[in-house]
Amino acid sequence: MNKPITLNVRIGGALSEFVAANVGDQGAYENVSEYVRDLIRRDKERNEAEQFQRLKAELTRAFAAPEDSYGALDAEAVIARNRRV
């Protein structure tokens, strides 16, 4: 497992007020660290969902292509094609 890292972030003004409203007795989080971890976790999940949707769209297009649009490839052709990309 990766070693935990410590982050130091300075925020002020409206961002600071927004964080303060979400932390503590009146907020959904007990402390700022918990809030930041949840934000990072949600961002990671959003990123993974976007990647999945792109893959799903690519596969949908590929499976919708007419059968005669496919051609046989051997390993050497695939390797050569991937070198160009």
Side-chain angles (χ1 to χ4, degrees), residues 5-64:
I5 62 171
T6 300
L7 303 173
N8 295 307
V9 180
R10 278 186 192 260
I11 57 171
L15 288 179
S16 178
E17 292 170 11
F18 184 79
V19 170
N22 285 287
V23 174
D25 294 336
Q26 304 302 316
Y29 302 93
E30 293 200 19
N31 57 57
V32 175
S33 292
E34 181 183 317
Y35 185 29
V36 170
R37 278 191 298 272
D38 188 50
L39 290 172
I40 294 168
R41 204 173 291 115
R42 288 179 191 215
D43 191 43
K44 181 178 181 288
E45 289 169 358
R46 179 195 53 78
N47 184 276
E48 289 169 350
E50 287 175 359
Q51 289 177 353
F52 176 76
Q53 289 303 319
R54 284 193 299 272
L55 176 61
K56 185 177 172 182
E58 182 78 21
L59 290 173
T60 299
R61 282 191 301 276
F63 285 116

